[in-house]
Amino acid sequence: MSSERRIEVPVLTRVEGEGALYVHIDGTRVADLRLNIFEPPRFFEKFLEGRSWKEIPDMVARICGICPVAYQMSAVHAIEAAFGARITPAIRRLRRLYYCGEWMESHSLHIHLLAAPDFLGYPDAMALAQDQPGIVRRGLRLQGLGNAILSTMGGRSVHPVGARVGGFYRAPDQAEAVALLARLRAAAQDAEDLVRWTAGLKLPDVTRQAPFVSLRHASEYPMNEGAIVSSEGLNISAAEFDAHVMEHQVPHSTALHALINGKPYWVGPLARLNNNLTHLPPHTLRLAEQTGIHWPSANPYHSIVARALEIHFALHESIAILEHYTPPGEPFVEITPRAGAGAWCTEAPRGILWQRYEMDGEGLVKKSRIVPPTSQNQAQMEADLRASVEENLSLHDDDLRARLEAGIRNYDPCISCSTHFLNLMLKRT
Amino acid sequence: MTGRLRIAVHKFASCDGCQIQFLNLEQDLLTLASRAEIAHFAEASSVMQPGPYDVSFVEGSISTSADLQRIQEIRAASRLLITIGACATAGGLQALRNWKNHDEFVRAIYARSEYIDSLARSTPVSEHVKVDAELWGCPIDQQQLKRVLSDVLARIAPRIPGESVCLECKRAGHVCVLVAGDVPCLGPVTRTGCGALCPRYERDCYGCFGPQEDGNTRALGRRFREMGLSDADIVRRLRFINGWAPAFRAGAQVWEK
């Protein structure tokens, strides 16, 4: 009798974008494991060439319907760096508020609609809601609150129209800020309860070794600014990113795999939290300690708790920004295009998102590069899945398949995002 | 007719934003799940039932050889097929490749182009199969989506307005950014549905809902020329998120050298 087993997940569900998983087990050994990404390539970097700086924030938003703000933020900062533009502290605070909205929306959506059904034995959140409506409705309320921040800043939550290079087209007026503040304050208990609820889920106890990579800022929990650091001592600026990160193509994926100094690494909420515990505000840190998890954690299943803690953080950060808000005189600084290059990295909900632009003197893009978080996580995801297969050989195929799918969802892969990149191959020749 | 409607949501080349608009219906998503059977929606559920479906919503443009086959299968399995968003309805932002050298794109991004299944053009669903209704927008608007869902639940033909967003903008009382702000707003030629967001945010409409039914893109291009835009500026203005839509395609062509 052959000891060979083949596990296939032809279409990954409850992830953003299109992927599949193929595993070939030979005895107790993983002979082959491939996270197939067959999301069609859309060639963003190529058709950004020749476009005006004014158009870029609206274009790159379309890379991802779940995290358009992240694409807008890395782009506007990178182009401002290329043009030598400096934003005001008031604009900086508004950008942070805007990003808080996206973290809350994206994390709440992931926790409740994509991940939680795995841990409670349901095929989807709609079925979960029939038995536990309070849990799902609380999640949808927090998601709605994130969306409310985005809609206040940019008119709508998917592809908001408010952001521009230099700031925002329009800043919220006092009445909008007051209304939003009241809604946020009313949700404080929801955010706290959510953390405790995720910490109470029955989560597998596993450990994965890979460097945690995130931004780190001198005094804040990172969003728009900071050095790129790793738990193994890397500390570089965005301009140095491409000297350390190598991307390469694998036959089974339209997303390129990224390695830092030749090794897989891990980005996202868990990596970010692990690297920035000392920058959590005291009440979020206290809540983190009360979960009973020993931080920093190398268990990818703790990502759902990290997401809940970041929702708690983002909610209170938004409240703090709005409590001291007065509409700025000008919501944007004037932009004067000049020839040059700029690179920037911000913290998308799923991890660091790096972009680089070369602009001409007219303000048109000569060249662009975009490295999204999911392509950075792909090598680590495959390493994690290999370990999961080896730890769970005794499971029947269906259970093993479910376990691996849950393992993929821990990373919240945003597959639509991950299929348009740069050409690092050119750099190697 | 009895029984709950069987609804499916399918994805092609896209950002997933229009599917997110379903997931962002928040409490209304649970209402929808109670009134219809969501038979196939990979982003929302691990249960994926085969067809036939009463209504298939299709997100994304047709851009690979595998897509050509799959859209035929979806059409055959669906009583009604409704496209959602700029990609499915007009080819999307990724249709900008249609004016470029696709092979050069593939080679520039991927070291081994033979692994990549990608067609030279990104095209709307309607270029391949019969489409029963088109919900425009990048992303689709949730109010329009809810009206269409109500129509299909009531088993009547979906009604989607085709007039200019200018009318909505005037009714809302926004200051006209084209007239008062001298910025190249695409509102006069763009379809209604977003709620006239861009003028409300003190900026120019960039046409994300696609062409309105009776717009004159040529005349608007002339107006932009008078405002000081170069020919190339006007081409870029129209050749954007819905650039492959016939009215915008023709409007841009006029100014191309």
Side-chain angles (χ1 to χ4, degrees):
Chain A
M1 199 178 93
S2 165
S3 61
E4 281 201 342
R5 289 168 77 187
R6 284 169 204 274
I7 306 283
E8 289 188 50
V9 184
V11 177
L12 292 170
T13 59
R14 286 186 279 123
V15 297
E16 210 220 8
E18 297 215 298
L21 179 68
Y22 169 81
V23 189
H24 174 193
I25 304 164
D26 183 5
T28 56
R29 197 178 64 88
V30 179
D32 195 12
L33 184 146
R34 296 195 303 259
L35 188 57
N36 276 45
I37 289 189
F38 44 84
E39 180 78 21
R42 286 185 292 158
F43 309 107
F44 265 83
E45 284 99 333
K46 292 306 290 180
F47 61 65
L48 291 176
E49 290 172 6
R51 305 297 305 208
S52 160
W53 63 274
K54 293 180 186 167
E55 300 163 346
I56 302 307
D58 296 322
M59 295 182 86
V60 294
R62 269 68 187 184
I63 293 174
C64 179
I66 203 168
C67 51
V69 168
Y71 283 87
Q72 291 181 335
M73 289 299 98
S74 289
V76 295
H77 280 289
I79 295 170
E80 286 157 12
F83 291 165
R86 294 181 70 91
I87 58 164
T88 63
I91 292 167
R92 190 179 180 282
R93 284 192 294 275
L94 279 176
R95 284 187 173 165
R96 206 162 157 80
L97 173 64
Y98 190 44
Y99 230 139
C100 283
E102 180 155 286
W103 280 20
M104 289 174 64
E105 167 264 334
S106 177
H107 283 350
S108 303
L109 191 156
H110 186 265
I111 290 174
H112 300 90
L113 297 180
L114 308 186
D118 284 334
F119 305 118
L120 299 165
Y122 292 89
D124 54 50
M126 285 79 81
L128 173 60
Q130 285 176 6
D131 292 350
Q132 302 191 45
I135 299 298
V136 176
R137 288 187 188 277
R138 179 181 63 207
L140 292 171
R141 280 200 299 276
L142 288 165
Q143 184 182 333
L145 203 51
N147 285 335
I149 296 176
L150 296 172
S151 296
T152 302
M153 299 299 297
R156 61 187 173 198
S157 61
V158 178
H159 307 329
V161 303
R164 49 163 287 165
V165 179
F168 291 90
Y169 287 99
R170 173 188 175 275
D173 61 27
Q174 199 68 49
E176 289 168 320
V178 167
L180 193 54
L181 181 58
R183 285 188 64 184
L184 288 162
R185 281 182 172 146
Q189 191 63 46
D190 274 353
E192 191 175 322
D193 292 346
L194 175 64
V195 173
R196 297 189 199 283
W197 176 76
T198 57
L201 291 169
K202 258 178 85 85
L203 302 170
D205 184 16
V206 301
T207 301
R208 301 285 177 255
Q209 294 305 331
F212 305 120
V213 175
S214 72
L215 292 188
R216 184 160 172 95
H217 182 269
S219 58
E220 295 170 339
Y221 200 81
M223 286 185 160
N224 276 294
E225 276 178 39
I228 299 166
V229 303
S230 87
S231 52
E232 295 186 354
L234 182 81
N235 188 333
I236 56 172
S237 70
E240 298 168 294
F241 180 82
D242 50 351
H244 292 264
V245 175
M246 281 295 163
E247 290 196 285
H248 64 100
Q249 190 184 2
V250 293
H252 56 275
S253 177
T254 50
L256 302 177
H257 281 207
L259 302 172
I260 278 191
N261 300 334
K263 282 166 62 179
Y265 62 103
W266 192 347
V267 303
L270 187 62
R272 195 158 54 216
L273 190 76
N274 283 337
N275 286 351
N276 291 283
L277 288 163
T278 54
H279 288 341
L280 282 177
H283 48 308
T284 308
L285 183 60
R286 202 158 48 240
L287 204 53
E289 285 162 352
Q290 288 168 1
T291 60
I293 294 169
H294 183 71
W295 306 100
S297 167
N299 179 353
Y301 286 94
H302 288 159
S303 297
I304 192 168
V305 185
R307 274 184 202 100
L309 284 163
E310 287 196 338
I311 290 171
H312 187 267
F313 159 74
L315 180 92
H316 287 281
E317 184 75 359
S318 306
I319 290 172
I321 293 167
L322 285 166
E323 275 174 338
H324 302 100
Y325 179 73
T326 47
E330 276 296 338
F332 60 89
V333 296
E334 286 300 332
I335 294 296
T336 309
R338 69 175 193 203
W344 204 270
C345 191
T346 70
E347 284 281 5
R350 318 165 159 69
I352 57 170
L353 164 59
W354 183 85
Q355 299 185 28
R356 182 178 187 278
Y357 294 88
E358 274 176 56
M359 310 296 294
D360 71 13
E362 306 293 304
L364 303 180
V365 175
K366 284 171 72 180
K367 229 172 153 182
S368 70
R369 267 193 64 191
I370 297 170
V371 183
T374 295
S375 68
Q376 300 182 67
N377 268 338
Q378 210 180 327
Q380 170 56 19
M381 269 191 277
E382 288 192 354
D384 183 340
L385 292 168
R386 278 177 177 270
S388 291
V389 173
E390 284 162 7
E391 288 162 357
N392 292 288
L393 285 168
S394 60
L395 291 181
H396 291 296
D397 283 4
D398 282 348
D399 292 336
L400 180 56
R401 193 178 291 120
R403 180 65 176 260
L404 296 176
E405 283 192 81
I408 292 167
R409 288 190 200 102
N410 285 333
Y411 293 87
D412 191 5
C414 187
I415 297 175
S416 302
C417 291
S418 61
T419 54
H420 11 93
F421 320 105
L422 74 102
N423 185 354
L424 246 221
M425 302 308 166
L426 278 183
K427 296 191 71 148
R428 291 174 176 180
T429 57
Chain B
M1 222 183 292
T2 56
R4 292 196 304 165
L5 275 192
R6 300 190 86 226
I7 290 180
V9 181
H10 308 273
K11 174 191 156 58
F12 290 83
S14 66
C15 77
D16 288 44
C18 293
Q19 297 185 69
I20 299 291
Q21 291 294 65
F22 275 84
L23 300 184
N24 272 341
L25 288 173
E26 297 164 23
Q27 314 294 342
D28 290 334
L29 177 66
L30 303 181
T31 308
L32 174 65
S34 70
R35 292 184 57 190
E37 179 192 355
I38 301 174
H40 176 109
F41 187 175
E43 186 154 332
S45 177
S46 294
V47 176
M48 291 189 290
Q49 309 279 359
Y53 310 111
D54 293 302
V55 188
S56 278
F57 291 94
V58 177
E59 177 195 86
S61 67
I62 306 302
S63 74
T64 71
S65 58
D67 291 350
L68 294 170
Q69 177 66 29
R70 188 158 61 96
I71 192 62
Q72 296 292 341
E73 291 164 7
I74 290 168
R75 175 68 268 187
S78 311
R79 189 167 60 80
L80 281 181
L81 190 158
I82 301 175
T83 59
I84 50 171
C87 300
T89 310
L93 190 59
Q94 61 270 21
L96 290 177
R97 76 161 80 154
N98 299 2
W99 288 272
K100 305 280 184 184
N101 183 335
H102 171 257
D103 291 344
E104 187 258 327
F105 273 24
V106 175
R107 280 198 305 275
I109 293 185
Y110 298 102
R112 304 289 300 271
S113 56
E114 65 273 26
Y115 299 150
I116 302 299
D117 174 15
S118 177
L119 299 171
R121 296 199 314 187
S122 166
T123 48
V125 173
S126 62
E127 283 193 21
H128 305 276
V129 297
K130 175 173 168 277
V131 170
D132 298 295
E134 293 177 323
L135 202 43
W136 291 80
C138 183
I140 54 169
D141 175 72
Q142 287 181 321
Q143 297 308 318
Q144 285 202 342
L145 173 62
K146 282 193 251 186
R147 272 196 296 276
V148 165
L149 286 168
S150 301
D151 288 346
V152 301
L153 285 168
R155 299 179 195 261
I156 59 173
R159 292 158 300 176
I160 298 164
E163 66 186 32
S164 158
V165 69
C166 265
L167 304 176
E168 192 178 5
C169 192
K170 297 290 170 291
R171 282 196 296 267
H174 301 318
V175 175
C176 179
V177 294
L178 181 70
V179 172
D182 210 27
V183 292
C185 182
L186 281 179
V189 297
T190 298
R191 183 177 285 255
T192 197
C194 63
L197 288 182
C198 286
R200 176 145 69 89
Y201 279 76
E202 298 170 24
R203 62 168 296 188
D204 45 329
C205 164
Y206 54 92
C208 75
F209 269 67
Q212 61 128 324
E213 282 170 350
D214 302 308
N216 187 338
T217 49
R218 217 172 259 248
L220 188 64
R222 282 197 298 273
R223 175 70 197 267
F224 288 172
R225 199 75 180 77
E226 288 161 17
M227 289 165 63
L229 269 69
S230 70
D231 291 358
D233 291 338
I234 300 170
V235 171
R236 280 205 319 274
R237 202 79 198 112
L238 287 161
R239 198 169 285 171
F240 203 52
I241 287 164
N242 287 288
W244 194 245
F248 286 181
R249 216 190 306 171
Q253 184 71 39
V254 173
W255 305 95
E256 195 152 46
K257 293 205 179 65

